Amino acid sequence: MATRKKVLLKVIILGDSSVGKTSLMNQYVNKKFTNQYKATIGADFLTKEVMVDDRIVTMQIWDTAGQERFQSLGVAFYRGADCCVLVFDVTSPGSFKSLDGWRDEFLIQASPSDPDHFPFVVLGNKVDLDNRSVSTKRAQQWCQSKNGLPYFETSAKEAVNVEQAFKTIARNALAQESDVELYNEFPDQIKLDGGSTDNRSSGSDNCAC
Amino acid sequence: MSFSSQIFRSPEYTSFRCNVPLKQIILDDTGTNKGWRVYDTGPRSVETPLVFLHPVSGRAEVFFKQLLTLSSKGYRVISAENPPYWSVTEWCEGFMQLLDHMDIKQVHLFGASLGGFLAQKFVEFSTIVHQPRVVSLFLCNAFTDTSIFKYKDAAVLFWILPAIVLRKMVLSNFSSRETFYDTRIMDSIDFMVELIESLSQADLASRLTINCLNSRVNTSLMRGLKGVTLMDVFDDYALGSPIKEKIYQEYPDAKLAQLKSGGNFPYLSRSDEVNLHLQIHLRKYDGTPYSASDNIPNTE
């Protein structure tokens, strides 16, 4: 194939309520932060086009409700995920302990073909706050125990490390997506009617079906 | 006629046909018009429903998965299939009459391909002739300009062509290389092919005529739109990427509901993802006068 296929990367952010999932997404996509807390209902997403290793990819970032009672939208948002971002609040030991649960939840719902090597990225958010209670070492140890997951300490409020974290997320997601591609690669189909399929992108088509 | 595709035989489709009545709504009194085919599901108390508009090849049934799921979640969802109209203006007038007949003042519109084009033209039309009636648009594999299609010079002759030729014109766009290993996309194509068989010559010819006669959307004429979601698929489908870029440019603030794959008919082949995007699209109106559901919004 002469042209590379356009790539859509689906990224899912999980973590306890009020750890800053929506804020991280908003900081990354819109460069905005608000101190006002509003619980996410069900799920929502934002889209951003980014360059990953000289390739333009579209990132679709899904933010899910931390509270169980708001998770009403079913499992469709897990389908086809290329990377899962686990977020905890460095001032809340409870949110750190929940990471295991969120990871399991994702693996069950999304059931990726190779769960041991599925790309997770862990973010310890709110490092701008003084009352920190989960140490960097403790977080790194946990990440190490899960096959060495990348770990970033971020502040959505002050835009610390957010860009870097999402860069890694995008790169790992792209690697995952390319892996899946390999299994799907079928040889070109042989056309018997002599018709050309190449003009599909040229903009002159027969009808809109 | 016997239907044999997977979707026709599915319990889900059977349940739809058993539980949702098909209404024929005839609007003119001349008796020549065979009328709109309409499925109206969900709570009737909702005054701002979501109305689905089908593509060239579709019938009102193609959205049965959305109707089943969204109505069960408290949304009023309607699928409307038009009788033959031979121009965009005629269609807009007809659709306006239908809404008046059903006592619907304002709507959210979901339009797929030609349905998406007509949905946009209706926003323009209602802005020009009346009060704006469309609250939001959800466009799936849609386009803003018919000049992208071949046959525009031949379009004036479609009315004379036999049904078999018209069907072939539509079917020639259906399959692509990527669809061959995706059973859900194959099933969606099988279903659409069977539906095409049940369309009359006048249905096909009039839809193709509207689809190919020169016309374009003018977004500067639109008033009252509160939200737009653009859905498209990243795998092969009948419209190429320049067309997508064009529609993205027309709606710079739109939410982009992109799917990795799904073919020409994602509402059939990726219905759960489409339904999820529809809920996200509609949810922001919950609890407002524009709500498409009787849900009380979930707040803290």
Side-chain angles (χ1 to χ4, degrees):
Chain A
M1 279 197 285
T3 50
R4 279 207 276 194
K5 210 179 130 205
K6 271 187 80 179
V7 183
L8 179 68
L9 299 177
K10 189 170 174 183
V11 173
I12 289 168
I13 307 180
L14 296 177
D16 281 3
S17 61
S18 76
V19 296
K21 298 181 294 297
T22 308
S23 298
L24 281 163
M25 177 173 84
N26 263 320
Q27 178 58 257
Y28 177 59
V29 178
N30 299 323
K31 308 268 179 273
K32 276 185 195 146
F33 178 83
T34 167
N35 257 321
Q36 247 160 8
Y37 175 68
K38 204 175 134 215
T40 305
I41 301 163
D44 201 355
F45 68 94
L46 289 176
T47 317
K48 183 173 168 116
E49 285 207 339
V50 288
M51 285 286 275
V52 184
D53 303 332
D54 66 76
R55 253 187 115 166
I56 297 175
V57 299
T58 306
M59 267 174 104
Q60 191 180 73
I61 305 166
W62 286 78
D63 171 30
T64 57
Q67 280 117 320
E68 195 122 350
R69 67 200 172 93
F70 287 161
Q71 296 193 341
S72 54
L73 290 173
V75 296
F77 58 73
Y78 289 103
R79 188 156 305 135
D82 300 300
C83 182
C84 175
V85 183
L86 301 171
V87 185
F88 71 97
D89 172 354
V90 294
T91 70
S92 154
S95 72
F96 177 69
K97 286 199 195 87
S98 301
L99 290 185
D100 270 307
W102 286 114
R103 185 175 168 274
D104 293 344
E105 167 88 5
F106 177 84
L107 291 174
I108 292 164
Q109 301 283 9
S111 48
S113 53
D114 187 3
D116 290 335
H117 296 99
F118 186 86
F120 286 92
V121 172
V122 181
L123 307 184
N125 192 35
K126 304 197 189 181
V127 290
D128 53 285
L129 296 179
D130 295 330
N131 51 335
R132 178 166 184 153
S133 58
V134 182
S135 69
T136 307
K137 202 177 155 201
R138 209 172 137 208
Q140 281 172 339
Q141 272 170 357
W142 186 83
C143 292
Q144 219 47 53
S145 73
K146 305 289 177 210
N147 270 334
L149 306 179
Y151 173 62
F152 292 88
E153 301 207 322
T154 58
S155 162
K157 186 177 180 179
E158 288 169 7
V160 175
N161 251 344
V162 175
E163 194 71 32
Q164 292 86 329
F166 274 95
K167 205 166 234 177
T168 302
I169 291 162
R171 184 165 297 131
N172 293 1
L174 185 62
Q176 160 74 12
E177 143 86 37
S178 318
D179 270 3
V180 175
E181 276 297 86
L182 285 179
Y183 298 108
N184 283 347
E185 214 42 71
F186 273 58
D188 275 332
Q189 152 211 5
I190 298 164
K191 278 271 186 189
L192 296 177
D193 59 6
S196 158
T197 52
D198 300 331
N199 62 2
R200 281 190 181 282
S201 54
S202 70
S204 66
D205 298 286
N206 299 338
C207 86
C209 294
Chain B
M1 147 159 237
S2 67
F3 293 113
S4 58
S5 76
Q6 286 291 340
I7 294 178
F8 266 109
R9 285 185 281 122
S10 68
E12 207 186 353
Y13 187 69
T14 311
S15 152
F16 173 74
R17 292 311 302 267
C18 291
N19 291 304
V20 184
L22 171 66
K23 283 193 253 178
Q24 298 266 2
I25 301 178
I26 294 165
L27 298 167
D28 64 352
D29 16 281
T30 59
T32 51
N33 209 328
K34 74 182 172 72
W36 287 74
R37 296 173 77 242
V38 174
Y39 291 100
D40 186 354
T41 61
R44 287 308 143 81
S45 58
V46 171
E47 290 178 344
T48 323
L50 170 66
V51 180
F52 286 84
L53 303 172
H54 57 82
V56 168
S57 49
R59 311 213 65 176
E61 286 79 9
V62 299
F63 300 114
F64 80 97
K65 293 188 179 198
Q66 284 68 46
L67 267 58
L68 283 176
T69 305
L70 293 174
S71 65
S72 77
K73 293 187 186 288
Y75 289 96
R76 182 176 177 196
V77 269
I78 296 169
S79 181
E81 178 186 337
N82 57 275
Y85 289 114
W86 296 86
S87 76
V88 172
T89 312
E90 243 182 60
W91 184 94
C92 287
E93 284 164 353
F95 187 58
M96 186 78 92
Q97 282 177 14
L98 176 75
L99 295 181
D100 288 340
H101 176 86
M102 295 177 78
D103 204 20
I104 296 167
K105 304 275 182 297
Q106 292 197 296
V107 282
H108 301 270
L109 292 180
F110 177 107
S113 306
L114 176 64
F117 178 72
L118 291 170
Q120 297 170 85
K121 292 304 281 183
F122 185 72
V123 181
E124 265 180 41
F125 178 83
S126 70
T127 306
I128 294 166
V129 301
H130 287 257
Q131 292 297 314
R133 295 181 80 149
V134 184
V135 179
S136 77
L137 282 178
F138 192 113
L139 304 175
C140 174
N141 291 354
F143 50 91
T144 56
D145 189 343
T146 56
S147 66
I148 54 173
F149 300 109
K150 279 185 211 158
Y151 304 130
K152 51 178 176 283
D153 301 324
V156 290
L157 295 172
F158 285 163
W159 64 276
I160 213 167
L161 295 177
I164 188 164
V165 175
L166 297 168
R167 269 185 207 121
K168 196 162 183 278
M169 282 169 57
V170 177
L171 290 172
S172 65
N173 278 296
F174 267 23
S175 55
S176 66
R177 191 180 71 86
E178 302 201 22
T179 61
F180 281 95
Y181 51 82
D182 188 307
T183 50
R184 286 184 298 161
I185 294 178
M186 289 305 281
D187 288 344
S188 75
I189 294 172
D190 287 349
F191 184 70
M192 295 302 278
V193 168
E194 281 180 331
L195 286 176
I196 287 181
E197 294 296 323
S198 67
L199 286 170
S200 70
Q201 192 272 348
D203 283 321
L204 283 164
S206 61
R207 294 174 186 188
L208 282 166
T209 303
I210 293 184
N211 197 79
C212 297
L213 278 180
N214 247 335
S215 175
R216 57 196 300 242
V217 171
N218 188 342
T219 46
S220 66
L221 294 177
M222 295 181 176
R223 298 280 179 276
L225 265 188
K226 296 185 192 307
V228 178
T229 297
L230 302 176
M231 168 166 278
D232 73 50
V233 294
F234 271 46
D235 60 4
D236 241 355
Y237 74 104
L239 300 175
S241 53
I243 297 157
K244 293 186 198 175
E245 300 301 329
K246 211 164 178 182
I247 197 165
Y248 287 168
Q249 282 164 16
E250 290 289 338
Y251 301 97
D253 300 325
K255 205 166 173 70
L256 304 181
Q258 294 151 321
L259 304 179
K260 290 186 174 189
S261 59
N264 284 311
F265 319 111
Y267 33 91
L268 287 165
S269 64
R270 298 290 184 270
S271 60
D272 49 354
E273 288 172 66
V274 173
N275 293 343
L276 171 66
H277 280 291
L278 275 166
Q279 287 176 73
I280 291 172
H281 176 83
L282 292 174
R283 202 179 42 206
K284 58 179 174 285
Y285 306 104
D286 283 357
T288 75
Y290 307 110
S291 178
S293 75
D294 58 3
N295 299 336
I296 313 287
N298 238 337
T299 46
E300 270 291 74

